[in-house]
Amino acid sequence: NMENIKLLNFIDLELEEKEMILKWRNHPEIRKWMYNQDEIKLEEHLRFIDSLKSRKDKLYFLVKKEDEFIGVIDFTQLVEKKSVHMGIYSNPNLKGNGKILLNKIIDYSFNDLKVKKIFSEVFAENDKAHNLYKKFNFKDITEKIVNNKKVICMKLENENR
């Protein structure tokens, strides 16, 4: 039920919530699928969130389902009415929220940002994510190498969802 899902903009969060997100982001199970695999320091994290206040091309949300924080979704490289790049990670202490998060990304991209296409990138070894995106009709478009690993670039067009 999508009505119970709330998107909380990073720039509006309490310090405690920002710290919780950093814990998730630095969790080994999450970090290993990121392009930046360093442990991020709190000061750096807070600076990054602060920088979002003046950005028109990036949006980051903490996702809340009823009274549980289930993950983070982000929208970057936002080109008005054209396309956006998505990012996603789940609360590492909970299972099975990937579908809800991806649903929210698709809904927000097409209904709120009103873009025509969503791009996503996934490490080829990250089968779970790759298969999830395919279920939602994302198509593989190209491949590249990041951190010496193969990355699959994917795309979902509004008319194909």
Side-chain angles (χ1 to χ4, degrees), residues 23-150:
K23 265 206 190 77
W24 296 352
R25 176 62 184 76
N26 280 332
H27 189 285
E29 279 306 299
I30 301 234
R31 212 168 70 217
K32 70 177 185 190
W33 303 122
M34 295 292 181
Y35 290 167
N36 170 12
Q37 299 188 339
D38 302 337
E39 281 229 17
I40 294 165
K41 309 237 181 315
L42 180 61
E43 186 186 332
E44 217 181 316
H45 178 62
L46 296 177
R47 229 192 350 260
F48 168 73
I49 293 175
D50 218 43
S51 77
L52 293 171
K53 293 178 183 164
S54 57
R55 301 292 298 247
K56 292 277 170 274
D57 59 335
K58 286 184 184 190
L59 280 161
Y60 280 70
F61 295 104
L62 174 60
V63 184
K64 193 174 189 179
K65 178 183 160 193
E66 282 145 14
D67 49 9
E68 239 176 1
F69 294 113
I70 62 168
V72 165
I73 60 176
D74 67 74
F75 304 89
T76 58
Q77 301 178 54
L78 175 58
V79 182
E80 223 179 317
K81 307 281 179 262
K82 286 196 174 55
S83 65
V84 71
H85 286 246
M86 58 154 269
I88 181 174
Y89 54 93
S90 295
N91 175 342
N93 314 305
L94 299 174
K95 287 276 171 276
N97 286 303
K99 279 196 178 80
I100 295 175
L101 294 169
L102 191 52
N103 234 321
K104 253 350 236 186
I105 287 175
I106 293 169
D107 175 65
Y108 193 85
S109 297
F110 293 138
N111 299 333
D112 295 77
L113 299 174
K114 301 213 181 326
V115 295
K116 304 264 186 291
K117 302 177 206 163
I118 308 171
F119 292 103
S120 75
E121 296 183 356
V122 60
F123 283 111
E125 326 171 343
N126 190 352
D127 289 328
K128 218 171 74 175
H130 189 213
N131 289 330
L132 177 66
Y133 299 161
K134 284 199 288 206
K135 267 197 197 93
F136 279 84
N137 238 352
F138 278 82
K139 303 284 181 253
D140 296 359
I141 43 177
T142 173
E143 290 175 0
K144 63 183 188 182
I145 302 290
V146 178
N147 307 335
N148 297 317
K149 290 195 177 101
K150 189 162 84 171

Side-chain angles (χ1 to χ4, degrees), residues 10 13 17-25 45 89:
F10 271 28
L13 298 177
E17 294 162 339
K18 294 175 182 174
E19 291 174 334
M20 173 188 72
I21 288 166
L22 182 61
K23 265 206 190 77
W24 296 352
R25 176 62 184 76
H45 178 62
Y89 54 93

